Each structure stands twice: as structure tokens, then as C-alpha cells.
Amino acid sequence: MLTLLILRHAKAGSDRPGLRDIDRPLAPRGREAAPLMGRFIAAHDMEPDLILCSSAKRTRETLDLARAELMTAPEIIFTEDLYLAEPEEIRAVILARAGSHKRVMVIGHNPGVQELALELAGAGRRSDLEAIRTKFPTAGLAVLNFTATRWAEATPKTGILRLFMSPRRLPVA
């Protein structure tokens, strides 16, 4: 079985004059949300073997803050190919880089991550699927399981949406 975790970067700061979009850092709210999602991933035994992360500053900062909460040290690959990528581009990166890893996390941007989750999910809790259709918020996490044994077999509508979580949906401790 394969597992794909799709994490949208945490809340980024607004555009500033002269600052390229790719260089936008996290906003204070994003710096709070990313570790919460990392703790959630660790607490629910979903730590990835491999993390594929967009090269944008906000995705790298999301990764750093979330990874600090993990118990393991996954392999990490930064790639510009995930920056504002469409679903087919994200799938191409997964196919090219995932190899024999069974649990892969992609940290990227909307609308690509939202569209990818909806494209791959063939089944799952109706309320979670509807929540993704409505909005894939910053620091949102979709987790899909595939009965496939190779990433090339993880094709549209073959995934089972295990859960959809965001900082606002987290249970209050």
C-alpha cells in the first residue's frame, strides 16, 4: 500500500513591493499552523519516508516548522517543479522521485494541491471530499491511501481519502 500526504503551505505574508512571489515568507499565523500540522502527522502515525517540497520560501518554512515536530528524519527533495504546479506536474514529480518510498508527502501550492487531491480520490468520507472541493486552506492536509504497490499505479480516482485536516479542524487539546 502507498500513502500520499498532500500539504498546502501554511499562511504566507502578503505581497510586498519588490518581493517576488517565490520569496514570500510565512505570516505569523502560518508560523503557528505549520508545527500544529507536524504534531498532527506525528501523533497519527503518518510520518513520511520522503518529502517533496516546492522551492518557494513559504513551502520550505512550512516544512522546517512541521518537520521539527516529527519523530523521524525523512528524505527531503526540494524542487522548483512543484512551485505553482498543476496536478499532472505534481504527479510527474512523484513518479520521478518517489522510487520505492511507500509514504510520500508533497508540500505545494493551491490550486494544484487541491486539484490533485480531488483528482486522485476515488473514495473517502463524503464530508472530507466536500470540504476539499469547497476550500483547501493553508496548512491543509489531505492523506490518500492506494492499494497500488508502485507510484505509476496511483492514478486518478484510485486513491482512498483517509482524512482531510486543517489547523481550524484540529481537535482542541
Side-chain angles (χ1 to χ4, degrees):
M1 182 171 78
L2 302 175
T3 301
L4 178 64
L5 294 89
I6 303 171
L7 180 66
R8 182 178 176 197
H9 65 78
K11 180 72 175 171
S14 56
D15 291 332
R16 293 193 316 245
L19 185 66
R20 298 181 316 158
D21 178 71
I22 198 167
D23 296 325
R24 287 175 44 216
L26 291 181
R29 190 173 95 200
R31 287 192 291 277
E32 292 174 10
L36 291 175
M37 297 310 290
R39 277 195 291 280
F40 177 82
I41 291 166
H44 290 84
D45 193 30
M46 298 185 293
E47 297 197 23
D49 307 316
L50 171 68
I51 299 174
L52 302 170
C53 184
S54 162
S55 58
K57 183 169 183 147
R58 58 192 176 272
T59 53
R60 289 182 286 118
E61 289 180 343
T62 299
L63 168 60
D64 288 344
L65 292 166
R67 183 179 58 179
E69 303 298 326
L70 302 180
M71 306 305 270
T72 61
E75 179 182 348
I76 298 168
I77 299 173
F78 295 99
T79 177
E80 201 169 295
D81 294 336
L82 291 174
Y83 176 64
L84 303 179
E86 298 290 328
E88 58 274 5
E89 295 167 311
I90 300 170
R91 285 186 33 231
V93 170
I94 294 167
L95 282 173
R97 303 293 185 100
S100 61
H101 295 283
K102 299 296 182 197
R103 192 177 293 169
V104 173
M105 176 188 282
V106 171
I107 303 176
H109 310 266
N110 242 9
V113 294
Q114 178 179 26
E115 293 169 359
L116 178 68
L118 291 170
E119 178 181 290
L120 293 175
R125 193 174 22 228
R126 186 170 295 175
S127 61
D128 284 345
L129 289 164
E130 189 55 38
I132 292 174
R133 272 187 204 88
T134 303
K135 182 178 183 179
F136 201 116
T138 53
L141 173 71
V143 180
L144 295 111
N145 290 334
F146 299 88
T147 57
T149 57
R150 298 178 315 119
W151 287 104
E153 299 165 351
T155 56
K157 301 301 178 204
T158 61
I160 300 166
L161 182 65
R162 179 174 160 195
L163 67 85
F164 180 60
M165 186 55 64
S166 68
R168 288 191 176 161
R169 297 177 84 187
L170 285 172
V172 177

